[in-house]
Amino acid sequence: MSDLYVHRFGPATGPMVLALHGLTGHGKRWEDLATGHLPQFRVLAPDLRGHGRSTSLPPWNFETVVADLVEVLRAEADGPVVVVGHSFGGACAVHLACLHPELVRRLVLLDPAIELEPERLNEIALSTLASADYDDVASARQEMLETGWCNVEPRLLDADIAEHLIHTADGRLGWRMSLPAVNSYWGQLARQAVLPPPELPTVVVQAMKVDPPFVSSEFRAALTERLGSGLTVLEWDCHHMVAQECPAQTAALVSSVF
């Protein structure tokens, strides 16, 4: 049995999508996109190791995340699947495709966070520790609004808080995740980029309101050189939470790759 808690949406059969959330997130974050916009697809959305209801045990690196995902796919998929990855989930998707190309038919990368500057990641990691918990729900909500959720529908923000915000041991509020795991994963994002297999069709969405960007010009150039006509790059006028801010647009994109 997998160590991952997997959220399942859609029919028991049909075209399958593996949806991978970003760092500090959770798999249920894909629910509205799946049920409201992609009801014909079978969507598997695991809580990645260290997140949500999944195991929080180390090691916390891309290789272990990939091993977890392979276990899920070999148990539930009949063949290669479309993998949609957001941010850290996008990086995990690329590593999955590199290590197990037989399991991936296409990649859709939503503002993927890959080979970021170590100084930037160090600041983010320190900030994660400094604001690890909250006095109340309003404080947690305000932080979300300041970190990419400002144009997301309030009902989606409320649903995310209801799923993800829990009481900590000292009676405060914090996200349902492992701080040691999350801070280790920030370090993983400083690793040298790996690129998809050259024959794998790949779509990259860059959120143009993210500054500095997560998708660097160097990464885009490397993808173009490797994938050629197999690469599609889209620039969307949105913040980092691409699927939540632009659900209809995201759903149309996912549908188009089948």
Side-chain angles (χ1 to χ4, degrees):
M1 178 177 290
S2 171
D3 287 330
L4 299 189
Y5 185 94
V6 181
H7 303 265
R8 296 171 177 85
F9 309 109
T13 60
M16 181 180 287
V17 173
L18 177 68
L20 306 179
H21 64 78
L23 197 46
T24 77
H26 55 91
K28 201 168 188 283
R29 192 165 279 179
W30 297 100
E31 181 176 24
D32 184 74
L33 181 71
T35 60
H37 300 272
L38 294 169
Q40 71 274 37
F41 293 101
R42 183 183 177 200
V43 178
L44 300 182
D47 292 339
L48 299 177
R49 181 176 291 258
H51 295 79
R53 293 171 169 82
S54 288
T55 179
S56 60
L57 294 178
W60 302 302
N61 53 40
F62 286 130
E63 290 77 13
T64 305
V65 171
V66 167
D68 290 336
L69 296 174
V70 168
E71 193 171 359
V72 170
L73 288 176
R74 287 184 174 163
E76 305 212 30
D78 296 327
V81 303
V82 170
V83 182
V84 179
H86 170 246
S87 195
F88 173 74
C92 295
V94 177
H95 279 268
L96 173 64
C98 288
L99 292 172
H100 292 276
E102 76 281 3
L103 298 177
V104 182
R105 58 178 291 197
R106 288 179 184 267
L107 288 176
V108 178
L109 309 178
L110 305 178
D111 212 32
I114 296 175
E115 197 177 354
L116 303 183
E117 302 86 348
E119 295 80 9
R120 180 182 182 185
L121 291 164
N122 186 56
E123 290 180 6
I124 294 173
L126 291 173
S127 176
T128 301
L129 290 175
S131 59
D133 54 22
Y134 309 93
D135 293 324
D136 49 38
V137 173
S139 299
R141 182 191 301 274
Q142 184 59 37
E143 183 177 272
M144 293 178 73
L145 291 171
E146 293 170 357
T147 54
W149 289 78
C150 56
N151 284 351
V152 175
E153 283 189 57
R155 66 178 181 86
L156 297 182
L157 186 64
D158 291 341
D160 202 85
I161 290 172
E163 165 66 18
H164 200 30
L165 196 65
I166 59 175
H167 286 283
T168 63
D170 59 2
R172 291 169 61 79
L173 294 168
W175 303 119
R176 194 192 302 270
M177 65 186 190
S178 161
L179 281 174
V182 165
N183 265 15
S184 291
Y185 289 142
W186 289 126
Q188 289 289 293
L189 295 182
R191 288 174 54 171
Q192 183 176 0
V194 299
L195 300 173
E199 69 281 0
L200 184 64
T202 299
V203 180
V204 175
V205 174
Q206 179 164 354
M208 300 306 291
K209 289 185 177 179
V210 176
D211 185 27
F214 284 130
V215 181
S216 68
S217 58
E218 293 81 7
F219 180 62
R220 285 177 54 159
L223 283 174
T224 300
E225 181 177 355
R226 184 168 181 82
L227 300 178
S229 61
L231 173 69
T232 301
V233 177
L234 304 173
E235 296 181 348
W236 289 4
D237 186 30
C238 66
H239 298 86
H240 186 54
M241 301 308 300
V242 177
Q244 287 72 36
E245 186 172 334
C246 307
Q249 199 172 353
T250 302
L253 171 59
V254 173
S255 297
S256 73
V257 305
F258 279 88

